[in-house]
Each structure stands twice: as C-alpha cells, then as structure tokens.
Amino acid sequence: MSHYTEDELSAYALRPDAIDDREGVEQHVAACGDCRNTLDVIEAFDVALHDPLPWEMSESIPVRREAPPALLDHARAIAAADARARELVMPLVDSVIRFRAARIDDDRRFHTLAVIRLLCKVANGMHERQPQFGLVLADTALNIADKLPANLQEQSAWYVGTAWKERANALRYLGRFKEADEALDRAEEAFESDDHVEPFDLAIVQYVRATLYCQMERFEEAVSLGQSAAETFHLYGDTRRYLSALLVEGLGYYSANRDHESVQIMERVATLARSARETDLLGRALLNAANSYTRLRDYGKATAHYADANSVMDDLDLPTESARLKWAMGALNIEQGEYESGIKGLDRSRIQLQQLGMSNDAALATLDLVAGLLAAEQPERVPELCRAITLTFSSEGMMRNAKKALAYLTEAVTSGDATPEAVRHVRAFLDQLPEHPHEEFQQIQ
C-alpha cells in the first residue's frame, strides 16, 4: 500500500476543501493506520499552538532541528485524546435522536477537552445544514466544560470560548440574534481570560459578530468589524477567512443600501475566490453581487450572476445558501414579470427555509410569494399564507404585533384593496420585528 507524504497530509489538514482528491485521502486515512497516526500528529501540532505549554517550553529550549521530546509527547497525548474522542462521539452525531438519548454530558468518559473540541468542530460543520442540531452540540460542549475536573478547567479557556462562539453561530442561523450577541460576549470573555490570548481567535469572534450585526441593522459596526477581522486574517495568511471577512464587510454595505460599495467588494471577492479555488465563497460572492445588481436595477448583470452562483451552488452541499439563492432568483423573476417561474421558486425556497429552521427568512420569503401572487392576480392562497406567517412569529414570542400586520394585509386582500406597496410595508415591518418585538404596526396612511 502506498502512503501519503507528510506534506500532502499537512496540506489536507490545513484545507481539506482545496484537495483535488479529498475523498481519496479520507478513504485512505480511514483504512491506513500509519497515515492516520501521521495525520493525528499533524493536527495535534496545530491544536498545540493554542496551548500555552509548548510556548512556555520554547523560551527555555535552544533552537534545534528536531522537535523537543516534551513537545512531541504533548502532541502525541493530544493525538491520543483526539482519537479517543472520535471513537466516543462520532458514532452518535449522525442522528439527533441518538445523540440526545446518549446524554454524554452526564457521562464522565466524555468529560475531556478533546471531546469539547470535537463537538465544536462537528457543530461548525452542522450550522449550515442543521442549525438546530448545531445548537445542541454547542450547548453539550458548554455543559461538559462546566463538569471538567479542576485541572482541565484551568486549561479550558480556549475550548469554552470556541463553544460559546459555535453557540452564537447556531443561534445566528436560527434568527435568535440577541441570544447570539450575548453568546459572542461570553466567547470574547473566555478567550481574553486565557494567559495567551490569540488575536486570531478574537478576530473570529469579530467576524461572527459582523455577520450578526448585518442582521441586527447595526450596519456601520458590521462594516468596521468585518474590516478589522479581514486585516487580522490577512496578517495570519488565512486566505479563506480573509475572503469571508471581506464578504461580511460587503454585506454590511449591502444591508445599509450602499450597493455600489457592496458590489465592488463582492466582485473582488469573486475574483480572489476563483483564483484560490474557494468554491463556496465564490458562490456567496456571486449571489451577493447579484442581489446588489438587482437593487441597482441592472437586471442583466443580476441574472448572469445568479446563474453563475446557481451553477456553483449545485456542486456544493450548502442547503441554506441554496435556499436563499432560489429565494432571490424567484424574487427577481417576480420583479421582471415572470410570475410562473417566480412563484414556483419562492414556494420551494420558503418551504426549504422553514425545514432548515430559518423561520425569519421563511416568513419573508412567504411575503415575497404573497406579493408575487397578488401581482399575478392569484390571491386565493394569500390568507392561508398569512396565517402560516403568524404561527411562525408566535413561536418567537411576537404573535400580537405580527398578527396586527398580517391581519391588515389579509383584510386588504379580502376587500380587494391589497397593493404591492401594502405587502412591502408589512414585509419591512416583519423584517425588523425580531429586533424590535414591541414595535407597534402602523398602517399605510
């Protein structure tokens, strides 16, 4: 059996998505103990960079070619702990029911730093597909952190900070923005409590907070945080995170209706992402650029960018981005008077968003569908759709104000007085409702 070199395995550990034969590497490593052990040590060295012990040792150890034995022992211990964590955790995370039933936070075998780190890693990859499960994983990591032995709690600042950050990520996807902001505060506190706080980790918190603030209408702060995070990631040479931070900076401009500035950044990110073969970032940049071109009424460029984004997304497993893309394309079709395709696209996307637990986005997509149905002179489904939106917001504790807005719209539909302006007015109100739950709905005068 031929083996992968350390350089090849290091490249895989650094960025699996950039490996042409990623599936082949993973299959080989799963079957080959030697390569699995080599990869474990490589990953352990990367994790050890967050641990103060190797850095404290390095101050007293003379420079030499071979790695210090103590550091190698430390890396091997981390690798062994990681292997044990995978053995315990991975059989459980393919099923929400199985994971919940296992109650691993009550089982002392799982009370390790390696388990917390693995839960955070799995949660990070879960937010896009199953944000509700991602939240369960992050909360479990935090519960375990509270139950760690005293000697491990002294080393747990980075792990706790990472778990709070993943909780914030999940809450952001679920539209629970205030809770997400509070979780980021806790993440920042945990990272800063570490004797060896890493600017890189704080930049990640800045990045997540910037994406959150775009949704909380704190646009200037979002742009500033995105810029700051991008500078740090650039200094660290992390191209992927650098491009991600540029994306959120551009999103801040977009959210503030500064589309000319936003589209310039999105086009730049698309160019850099294509060169770096960061396919998912390319798809997001194209989608965001298309959204700006739509608002600028440059429908030719918008259509072309949506088509390019769609071809990219088809090759990726990104259901939330795919649902948002179909939502945007459906809304553009309605804008251009292509009602049949627009209505079908909006119907599919709102259902998909609801299934993903993204209730706020689903409600707004449903209102776009309502506007399309009215424009197409097909009002029959509108009352039913309005009732569905009311139920969505009732689960967020905003039933009364949402009911007022939707009752106004339903009454207008029933009386035959509904207009696109009325739908847009209600949509704008509901868009802001999660951040202003006590704001009273005002009818169009």
Side-chain angles (χ1 to χ4, degrees), residues 336-394:
Q336 295 178 299
E338 299 172 7
Y339 298 129
E340 184 178 354
S341 58
I343 288 169
K344 286 181 179 177
L346 289 171
D347 232 346
R348 285 194 297 268
S349 64
R350 75 178 183 88
I351 293 170
Q352 188 176 3
L353 289 164
Q354 192 66 57
Q355 290 171 340
L356 290 166
M358 302 167 69
S359 56
N360 294 336
D361 283 348
L364 297 177
T366 301
L367 274 178
D368 285 338
L369 174 59
V370 167
L373 290 168
L374 291 174
E377 299 182 352
Q378 301 174 27
E380 295 81 11
R381 295 177 57 200
V382 170
E384 174 194 347
L385 291 169
C386 289
R387 284 193 295 272
I389 299 171
T390 304
L391 292 174
T392 294
F393 280 99
S394 70

Side-chain angles (χ1 to χ4, degrees), residues 127 135 138-139 142 157 159-173 176-191 201-202 204-206 208-209 212-213 216:
H127 301 320
L135 180 60
D139 283 344
L142 288 168
Y159 302 85
V160 172
T162 302
W164 277 111
K165 184 258 295 181
E166 294 308 336
R167 185 172 203 275
N169 262 325
L171 291 167
R172 175 173 61 89
Y173 274 95
R176 294 161 59 180
F177 304 142
K178 184 177 179 181
E179 293 174 78
D181 199 22
E182 292 169 352
L184 289 173
D185 288 340
R186 299 292 297 272
E188 208 164 44
E189 290 171 8
F191 285 133
D201 293 319
L202 295 177
I204 291 177
V205 174
Q206 287 182 321
V208 177
R209 201 186 294 273
L212 179 64
Y213 282 1
M216 296 177 70

Side-chain angles (χ1 to χ4, degrees), residues 227-256:
Q227 290 173 339
S228 178
E231 290 173 4
T232 301
F233 295 144
H234 186 65
L235 287 173
Y236 275 78
D238 192 322
T239 300
R240 178 174 176 79
R241 285 192 170 91
Y242 169 64
L243 294 177
S244 297
L246 287 180
L247 271 176
V248 78
E249 179 189 350
L251 185 58
Y253 284 126
Y254 173 81
S255 301

Side-chain angles (χ1 to χ4, degrees), residues 304-356:
H305 279 67
Y306 279 136
D308 287 347
N310 195 43
S311 65
V312 170
M313 294 296 185
D314 281 346
D315 295 331
L316 302 171
D317 183 20
L318 297 173
T320 62
E321 293 300 329
S322 177
R324 287 190 175 116
L325 174 58
K326 288 180 173 59
W327 174 14
M329 293 176 71
L332 177 61
N333 287 336
I334 296 295
E335 183 81 12
Q336 295 178 299
E338 299 172 7
Y339 298 129
E340 184 178 354
S341 58
I343 288 169
K344 286 181 179 177
L346 289 171
D347 232 346
R348 285 194 297 268
S349 64
R350 75 178 183 88
I351 293 170
Q352 188 176 3
L353 289 164
Q354 192 66 57
Q355 290 171 340
L356 290 166

